[in-house]
Amino acid sequence: MKNKLKLLILYLIPFFASADWLDLNMPVGVTDISKEVFELHMLIFWVVVGIGVVVFGFLFWSMWKYRRSNNKTPAKFYDNHKLEIIWTIVPTVILILMAIPASMTLKKIYDHEAEEGGIDIQVVGWQWKWQYKYLDEYVDEAGNKQLSFFSNLTTPQDQYEFNRVEKGENYLLEVDEPVVVPINTPIRFLITSSDVLHSWYMSDFAVKQDAIPGFINVAKTKINVPGVYRGNCTELCGERHAYMPIVVEAVTREEYDAWLQEKRNIAAELAYLTEKEWTVDELLATGEEIYTLRCAACHQADGAGIAGFYPALAGSDIVINDKARQIEILMEGVRGSQMQSFAEQINEVEMAAVITFTKLSWGNGTEADSELVIPKDIVDYKNREDT
Amino acid sequence: MSAVVENNDHHDDHHGPRKGIWRWMTTTNHKDIGTLYLWFSFLAFLVGGAFAMGIRAELFEPGLQLMDPIRYNQLVTMHGLIMIFGGVMPAFVGLANWLIPMQIGAPDMALPRMNNLSFWLLPTAFAILMSTAFMEGGMPGFGWTFYAPLSTNYPNVAFFVFAVHIMGISSIMGSINVIVTIMNMRAPGMTLMQMPLFTWSWLITAYLLIAVMPVLAGAVTMLLMDAYFGTSFFDAAGGGDPVLFQHIFWFFGHPEVYIMILPAFGITSHIISTFSRKPLFGHASMIYAMSSIAILSFVVWAHHMFTVGMPLAAELFFMWATMLIAIPTGVKVFNWCATIFKGSITYETPMLFAIAFVVLFTIGGFSGLMLAITPADFQYHDTYFVVAHFHYVLVPGSVFSIMAAVYFWLPKWTGNMYDEKLGKLHFWLSFIGVNVTFFPQHFVGLAGMPRRYADYALQFAEWNAISSVGAFLFGLSQLLFLYIVLKTIFVGKKATPRVWDGAEGLEWTVDSPAPYHTFETPPKING
Amino acid sequence: MAKGPFKNKILLGLLSAVTVMFFFSFLLVPLYNVFCEVTGLNGKIYGPSDFFKKQDEIKEREINIKFLSTVSGAAPIEFYPSVQNLLVITDTVSATTYIAENKTNKKITVSIVPSVSPGLAADNVKKIQCFCLDGDIVLEPYEKQEWPLRFFIDSDLRKNVNDVYLSYTLFEKDREEVMVMKHEH
């Protein structure tokens, strides 16, 4: 018996070994508002704890004191107007005292005062990823191409779906492209949705705003501490609701500027990449990466799809025989289905690579008998309008 | 069920029940229909509970082990729908059927044939809802709140809509019956203010149902039209507004929340007063408190939508209105405490459940107050903190009160005493199970775990595992409940008419088991 | 005993209450729109408005307008404002354009839904001409259209609001194959 108990305790120690499980409370966060919200939360918490101690204390004491074995004859009273008035007024006063700081904090959150040097980022919720558009930043010299990218979950399916490999530290809280923002700068997130409702939730900023198709919601923040902050979607948006995390990287102004420059460099490099000769192996490697990140969630890693929801790519006639239609589907999406247009979501190289990957995987075809797709094909497709 | 047939046989003034299945299909007797409702709700409770076990099993550890997220969402949705529309509400209607005529000295419900119909619509509705499980696309997976536009594009949404329509009609008919019965069939001399609190709580509940079930019907109708007839009530592309859906839904939804708790207030009041052997403190103020809660429930709906981007004035209004609800709720809790004070208290199973109700419901009320504070709600909203909150008011709230009611009135219904030892064991298992399940959810919620997630980050793993263990403990102990009830029916010791020595009210003046027909000549009430 | 006019009256009352509440739920739709218009909830904007209004108090100030665009459901259309920011003076008409380009060889019908942030400013954004009021718009294959937008901000705009966001979401309503002669090789 004792040994068993020992074993149980030994088993429980590593179970509780990580310190994370002790995070029982709301994070204080890294903005002035989040700190204020935290204090408000703690204030109300202690008020209700106080009320609880008094009420339950009285209840338990009465339960013990007036048990049948201790008190044979019950009292007969059934009202007391003075008491009833008191216990209506006292809670009212407590509530008013709680409402005052709450209303003031709320007003502060809603303050529309413009601040100098702010950054505007449009956030668009998608099934199931986030898109970020930096309203005043461009990646080309001419100022035609806005800085805009999609942020996808990078946790591999091997970790969450098949549980084949150990889960990483930031399991389900990691993305390919985090939103990078400078600290000590007012930031406005202009939140909307492209399909169903989503909600942009970043606990460390005390920000939670619903993303509603057709409407724009604003969430403001000003981050005080550099760091990587992780959040989630908090409005049920369908199957992969749990798989569209938010990652915000707060950096210094210099680092932010460097990041913007890097984005411009990458955009400039793309023109070269589409021109270059691609080997099949290179395409396959890139294609697999893109497929795993963007396609596998629906069409599955083995290309089998999910019957009734997502069509199979393995053995698909379009993938095997109809190169033009496959490009068209990727470029235009399929109306009335979950299949989106990927024209803006991935670049020409990535699209060519992922098509090539599907054509050569799951027994769909071999290098010899398949008509491959190279980046140039996609560029041509995009410029074909005058045919 | 058949045991009830035998037990009721000895009373045969002019006609007894029919034999076999036809008795239950065609019955217009309020006791039979009450029994049907209670068994139906228990079945729904087990099915919904099984779905909850599925959810908790999947959440036992991070990663997808048992099901894909589509299936998970379906379980979450069906768990909510079954527990609300199949578990809690029918249980209260069943109690109303059994108790209201007996508490007001009426021979039956006012509209007995409609009573039969309103019950049998319920299994029909659930058959339609569950049939989607066998269709391509499967059961609804958009959450019990079916927010547009996720729901408008979901497979099999028409079946969901028709099921909700039928449930709504059933509820409305039940409520009409309750109101007409209470208004017309009280024993001569019984004024409204003298009416027992359970009956009072149901009168208020019935009015709430009449007011809001049609709104739910309207909401699902608009949804159906959007999904199949090309209208755009909730579709931004056609000039509609998805937020409008939430306003309409919660205009129904918030009163609905009180529909599921008001009868519990009535039950608890009876039980606490009985086992304290003391009249209920503040009978009138209880009635006023329930009425004000009911009225307030119509002006607080948008506190479910603090994050949709309402203007400051609206947020402030809904915050303040919501906080106001704490006042009448507080009055009720204080009244219960004052009833216990200076009583002569014994702790039989119904009393244990009732006390646990007061304590745990109040904890749910506390987290409710925290959720009312809009700036803090930006953090709590749609996290497990909310899940913990509404399960605290619904499980150790409504469900515990239903269990308390069953233990309390079971001897009256069956004529037999339940096994006190087993009853207490059931209570303690449930009490521990509920708290182990739902208390840790406060923690993961505050730490930021969103609700309706099939999978979660590693930091939440430990508390979720504990929560799952608690859920299985709670779920499995309900099989003990089933055993206790069956044992009472078949081999319980004979109960006295009064059953509890502190019991007051007309239902305790008739035999145990209550004869098939009671109060055919109305009892006299002394004002 | 339980029969009688009284019962029927209650029954009738309750049944009509049910009916009234059912229709009330539909009535909530226009009620809500009125409510939104009054409070600026959701930043909804209604109808073109008259330019000639009270000019008693002229409090000219500069407002920074930012233009947003969203393409719903990743329709194969490029949709963006021709300028990102516009500094406007209250009560003065400004004009800009949005550009929409069909990237396919199909005929696409779209509609545009406007939204304003902060919501309370919605009432102060007066549109004289807006493609969002035109209903369905057809884009021929590969067609690029430039859509004019003329508006002014009235000076009643709350003092602490200096930035106003005008957002337009493009919804694809229909996509039609266009028959073309294909060159067979």
Side-chain angles (χ1 to χ4, degrees):
Chain A
M1 183 64 207
K2 239 185 186 166
N3 267 337
K4 268 190 186 157
L5 201 70
K6 229 185 218 166
L7 268 175
L8 187 72
I9 291 167
L10 277 177
Y11 171 73
L12 284 176
I13 288 171
F15 187 67
F16 289 112
S18 72
D20 282 347
W21 75 280
L22 277 169
D23 287 338
L24 308 180
N25 207 349
M26 185 190 283
V28 182
V30 289
T31 69
D32 294 346
I33 291 288
S34 77
K35 287 195 177 97
E36 209 166 299
V37 167
F38 176 79
E39 277 158 23
L40 188 61
H41 155 72
M42 288 316 284
L43 171 78
I44 306 153
F45 174 72
W46 287 116
V47 168
V48 298
V49 167
I51 299 171
V53 167
V54 172
V55 174
F56 296 152
F58 176 75
L59 177 67
F60 294 143
W61 172 79
S62 309
M63 281 169 62
W64 175 79
K65 177 89 193 286
Y66 298 108
R67 62 195 191 275
R68 185 102 169 119
S69 52
N70 203 36
N71 185 30
K72 284 270 178 288
T73 42
K76 287 282 164 235
F77 67 89
Y78 52 84
D79 61 3
N80 181 332
H81 288 292
K82 222 181 263 167
L83 204 58
E84 286 173 72
I85 289 168
I86 291 174
W87 71 41
T88 312
I89 289 176
V90 171
T92 312
V93 172
I94 296 175
L95 285 176
I96 291 171
L97 291 179
M98 278 160 60
I100 293 169
S103 305
M104 279 162 54
T105 305
L106 191 59
K107 195 165 174 298
K108 212 176 273 179
I109 294 173
Y110 266 74
D111 190 14
H112 294 300
E113 218 74 56
E115 288 181 77
E116 284 299 304
I119 292 180
D120 292 313
I121 302 174
Q122 188 182 356
V123 180
V124 187
W126 293 79
Q127 281 177 325
W128 291 277
K129 59 199 121 189
W130 294 96
Q131 182 190 12
Y132 300 95
K133 288 193 214 172
Y134 287 65
L135 289 194
D136 300 309
E137 300 297 341
Y138 297 89
V139 290
D140 60 344
E141 300 274 315
N144 288 328
K145 206 163 160 34
Q146 210 168 37
L147 171 55
S148 157
F149 53 84
F150 285 78
S151 191
N152 294 276
L153 176 77
T154 49
T155 305
Q157 262 185 317
D158 270 347
Q159 279 186 30
Y160 66 82
E161 191 157 351
F162 310 115
N163 302 300
R164 280 194 284 241
V165 291
E166 204 183 324
K167 295 174 176 39
E169 186 194 353
N170 293 316
Y171 176 70
L172 298 187
L173 293 172
E174 49 201 349
V175 296
D176 53 351
E177 289 239 44
V179 204
V180 177
V181 292
I183 52 164
N184 300 324
T185 309
I187 299 157
R188 264 187 256 224
F189 292 105
L190 301 139
I191 300 167
T192 186
S193 164
S194 156
D195 33 52
V196 299
L197 301 179
H198 302 271
S199 186
W200 200 83
Y201 173 37
M202 184 53 81
S203 188
D204 283 309
F205 311 160
V207 164
K208 187 180 284 143
Q209 270 297 331
D210 290 358
I212 301 162
F215 299 93
I216 202 99
N217 267 331
V218 187
K220 289 177 302 170
T221 194
K222 189 173 175 182
I223 305 159
N224 298 332
V225 189
V228 180
Y229 305 107
R230 295 167 200 278
N232 296 91
C233 173
T234 47
E235 186 62 73
L236 181 60
C237 52
E239 181 193 345
R240 292 175 59 78
H241 173 44
Y243 301 103
M244 48 183 292
I246 299 157
V247 179
V248 176
E249 232 178 279
V251 296
T252 60
R253 192 78 206 189
E254 295 73 44
E255 287 170 308
Y256 175 68
D257 289 336
W259 175 78
L260 287 176
Q261 189 52 49
E262 192 197 323
K263 283 284 165 202
R264 284 183 212 114
N265 296 345
I266 291 171
E269 208 180 329
L270 185 66
Y272 155 75
L273 285 176
T274 50
E275 295 297 323
K276 139 185 172 169
E277 286 282 326
W278 285 78
T279 68
V280 173
D281 285 341
E282 281 174 324
L283 284 176
L284 274 179
T286 311
E288 182 166 14
E289 204 178 295
I290 296 298
Y291 185 85
T292 312
L293 201 60
R294 316 248 180 178
C295 318
C298 296
H299 294 292
Q300 303 300 309
D302 58 1
I306 296 178
F309 285 88
Y310 311 113
L313 300 184
S316 152
D317 184 51
I318 292 173
V319 176
I320 297 168
N321 298 320
D322 198 344
K323 169 177 157 182
R325 177 67 187 141
Q326 192 180 4
I327 297 178
E328 190 179 64
I329 288 178
L330 270 134
M331 295 295 293
E332 300 181 2
V334 178
R335 246 177 85 69
S337 82
Q338 304 266 26
M339 182 66 192
Q340 299 159 352
S341 155
F342 279 82
E344 300 290 309
Q345 300 195 31
I346 53 181
N347 65 39
E348 292 84 354
V349 174
E350 292 168 330
M351 192 173 290
V354 79
I355 294 174
T356 300
F357 173 76
T358 57
K359 280 174 159 297
L360 297 185
S361 301
W362 320 302
N364 277 351
T366 61
E367 225 176 292
D369 58 20
S370 302
E371 198 187 349
L372 298 184
V373 176
I374 55 167
K376 182 84 169 38
D377 293 338
I378 309 295
V379 177
D380 289 346
Y381 183 93
K382 285 191 176 175
N383 298 329
R384 73 191 161 138
E385 57 188 281
D386 17 62
T387 46
Chain B
M1 267 187 253
S2 55
V4 184
V5 185
E6 289 151 25
N7 288 336
N8 283 332
D9 266 353
H10 65 93
H11 189 95
D12 44 5
D13 280 354
H14 45 144
H15 61 88
R18 296 167 78 159
K19 297 284 171 215
I21 185 89
W22 276 107
R23 165 180 177 187
W24 302 102
M25 299 293 288
T26 60
T27 183
T28 55
N29 180 291
H30 73 102
K31 300 184 181 78
D32 282 355
I33 293 172
T35 307
L36 284 171
Y37 264 112
L38 287 169
W39 278 112
F40 177 82
S41 98
F42 191 74
L43 183 69
F45 186 49
L46 291 183
V47 175
F51 283 21
M53 304 288 98
I55 294 167
R56 283 313 326 171
E58 176 55 56
L59 293 178
F60 182 73
E61 53 179 334
L64 297 171
Q65 282 83 21
L66 303 171
M67 57 190 95
D68 60 39
I70 297 177
R71 174 75 57 197
Y72 179 86
N73 286 345
Q74 290 172 341
L75 287 192
V76 168
T77 306
M78 294 300 283
H79 166 72
L81 290 171
I82 291 174
M83 286 304 199
I84 291 166
F85 295 106
V88 174
M89 288 170 69
F92 282 138
V93 181
L95 292 170
N97 262 297
W98 256 104
L99 296 170
I100 288 175
M102 279 161 62
Q103 285 195 331
I104 63 173
D108 204 315
M109 297 294 275
L111 308 158
R113 285 186 192 85
M114 191 165 93
N115 206 6
N116 174 291
L117 180 60
S118 75
F119 170 75
W120 283 107
L121 283 178
L122 213 51
T124 317
F126 275 88
I128 292 173
L129 188 60
M130 297 299 288
S131 69
T132 55
F134 307 102
M135 296 174 194
E136 196 181 346
M139 298 182 284
F142 35 66
W144 85 275
T145 51
F146 57 101
Y147 277 9
L150 181 64
S151 51
T152 44
N153 298 315
Y154 218 86
N156 306 332
V157 67
F159 291 88
F160 162 81
V161 168
F162 290 133
V164 170
H165 269 307
I166 297 172
M167 287 172 208
I169 291 169
S170 159
S171 289
I172 289 169
M173 294 202 307
S175 314
I176 288 177
N177 218 339
V178 165
I179 296 174
V180 177
T181 308
I182 293 175
M183 287 307 187
N184 293 321
M185 298 177 64
R186 293 193 307 278
M190 183 184 271
T191 64
L192 275 179
M193 287 312 278
Q194 278 176 336
M195 236 161 44
L197 271 180
F198 177 71
T199 304
W200 247 112
S201 66
W202 244 107
L203 182 63
I204 297 167
T205 305
Y207 274 114
L208 280 183
L209 276 166
I210 296 233
V212 300
M213 287 316 272
V215 177
L216 174 67
V220 292
T221 307
M222 288 181 225
L223 190 78
L224 187 76
M225 289 163 78
D226 268 14
Y228 294 100
F229 303 119
T231 58
S232 320
F233 287 104
F234 310 130
D235 181 9
D241 185 344
V243 180
L244 170 65
F245 173 84
Q246 297 180 34
H247 282 289
I248 298 177
F249 178 82
W250 287 114
F251 186 83
F252 145 80
H254 203 77
E256 165 72 16
V257 172
Y258 293 141
I259 286 165
M260 292 190 287
I261 200 68
L262 286 176
F265 289 160
I267 292 165
T268 307
S269 304
H270 284 292
I271 294 175
I272 285 187
S273 141
T274 300
F275 293 96
S276 304
R277 293 168 180 76
K278 219 175 129 243
L280 183 74
F281 187 91
H283 184 90
S285 75
M286 284 295 206
I287 295 168
Y288 298 137
M290 283 194 288
S291 310
S292 27
I293 291 173
I295 291 164
L296 280 175
S297 75
F298 286 102
V299 293
V300 298
W301 76 88
H303 70 214
H304 297 268
M305 320 164 38
F306 279 146
T307 61
V308 298
M310 288 186 290
L312 178 63
E315 305 251 331
L316 285 173
F317 170 79
F318 286 109
M319 171 169 81
W320 294 333
T322 306
M323 292 173 80
L324 278 183
I325 293 178
I327 298 167
T329 315
V331 166
K332 299 195 70 77
V333 173
F334 298 141
N335 281 350
W336 288 320
C337 291
T339 308
I340 284 171
F341 180 63
K342 292 205 166 174
S344 174
I345 314 160
T346 50
Y347 297 98
E348 285 87 349
T349 310
M351 183 61 164
L352 290 176
F353 273 107
I355 301 265
F357 168 88
V358 174
V359 174
L360 300 181
F361 172 78
T362 305
I363 291 178
F366 287 154
S367 55
L369 187 58
M370 294 171 78
L371 284 159
I373 308 293
T374 313
D377 182 74
F378 291 154
Q379 291 277 31
Y380 309 139
H381 180 81
D382 265 347
T383 66
Y384 262 78
F385 192 77
V386 177
V387 177
H389 158 71
F390 70 72
H391 279 96
Y392 256 87
V393 290
L394 278 176
V395 184
S398 308
V399 173
F400 269 25
S401 84
I402 292 164
M403 289 174 181
V406 170
Y407 282 111
F408 189 55
W409 280 293
L410 195 60
K412 177 56 62 194
W413 301 337
T414 64
N416 297 336
M417 268 320 264
Y418 63 87
D419 185 329
E420 189 62 58
K421 246 191 209 136
L422 285 180
K424 281 190 173 139
L425 179 67
H426 172 226
F427 167 75
W428 285 110
L429 289 175
S430 300
F431 180 81
I432 294 166
V434 149
N435 284 295
V436 173
T437 311
F438 297 116
F439 212 81
Q441 295 184 356
H442 288 116
F443 305 145
V444 289
L446 289 176
M449 177 169 164
R451 65 191 280 209
R452 292 165 169 170
Y453 262 33
D455 198 356
Y456 50 84
L458 297 181
Q459 75 188 94
F460 308 122
E462 285 82 0
W463 289 116
N464 269 294
I466 293 171
S467 183
S468 292
V469 171
F472 275 89
L473 175 65
F474 179 72
L476 294 176
S477 28
Q478 301 325 309
L479 297 176
L480 178 62
F481 184 42
L482 177 64
Y483 171 75
I484 295 169
V485 171
L486 292 176
K487 191 179 167 195
T488 312
I489 294 172
F490 291 109
V491 293
K493 272 198 239 82
K494 190 90 187 69
T496 60
R498 186 83 184 270
V499 186
W500 316 104
D501 56 359
E504 299 286 343
L506 286 176
E507 75 265 35
W508 306 108
T509 62
V510 300
D511 267 352
S512 294
Y516 197 58
H517 296 286
T518 39
F519 298 123
E520 280 174 297
T521 25
K524 260 243 166 324
I525 309 288
N526 305 315
Chain C
M1 178 205 67
K3 302 249 156 66
F6 187 40
K7 183 173 102 183
N8 289 335
K9 216 159 120 195
I10 292 183
L11 193 57
L12 221 65
L14 293 173
L15 285 174
S16 44
V18 169
T19 321
V20 166
M21 286 311 287
F22 182 75
F23 288 108
F24 175 71
S25 71
F26 283 85
L27 195 66
L28 280 172
V29 179
L31 274 179
Y32 173 75
N33 283 338
V34 172
F35 181 72
C36 288
E37 210 164 354
V38 172
T39 61
L41 184 69
N42 273 337
K44 282 195 172 190
I45 322 166
Y46 295 88
S49 63
D50 56 333
F51 177 44
F52 306 97
K53 64 180 298 274
K54 59 172 180 327
Q55 294 267 325
D56 44 337
E57 247 185 293
I58 296 162
K59 301 163 284 185
E60 266 188 13
R61 58 196 177 105
E62 282 189 337
I63 306 292
N64 189 18
I65 309 284
K66 300 205 171 192
F67 297 99
L68 302 178
S69 61
T70 312
V71 179
S72 176
I77 294 172
E78 270 182 21
F79 176 59
Y80 49 91
S82 55
V83 288
Q84 196 62 59
N85 298 310
L86 210 55
L87 208 57
V88 306
I89 294 164
T90 49
D91 289 339
T92 310
V93 177
S94 308
T96 181
T97 57
Y98 267 68
I99 292 157
E101 186 179 358
N102 182 352
K103 304 297 282 181
T104 72
N105 57 0
K106 298 165 187 80
K107 196 165 120 183
I108 295 181
T109 310
V110 299
S111 70
I112 316 290
V113 172
S115 175
V116 174
S117 181
L120 288 167
D123 205 30
N124 306 104
V125 179
K126 308 290 187 187
K127 297 192 177 179
I128 295 160
Q129 184 185 16
C130 178
F131 49 92
C132 58
L133 303 170
D134 296 348
D136 292 354
I137 303 171
V138 176
L139 288 165
E140 298 295 335
Y142 304 113
E143 191 187 4
K144 186 172 182 174
Q145 291 187 2
E146 193 160 2
W147 294 334
L149 170 66
R150 297 201 322 134
F151 68 98
F152 67 95
I153 306 290
D154 83 22
S155 45
D156 293 343
L157 183 70
R158 291 167 176 248
K159 279 205 190 66
N160 59 355
V161 178
N162 294 314
D163 291 328
V164 173
Y165 297 85
L166 299 187
S167 156
Y168 296 90
T169 308
L170 180 145
F171 290 89
E172 181 183 358
K173 302 193 87 171
D174 196 30
R175 197 187 293 183
E176 238 177 278
E177 294 282 345
V178 178
M179 298 307 277
V180 279
M181 298 301 284
K182 277 197 176 142
H183 301 281
E184 299 293 333
H185 49 85

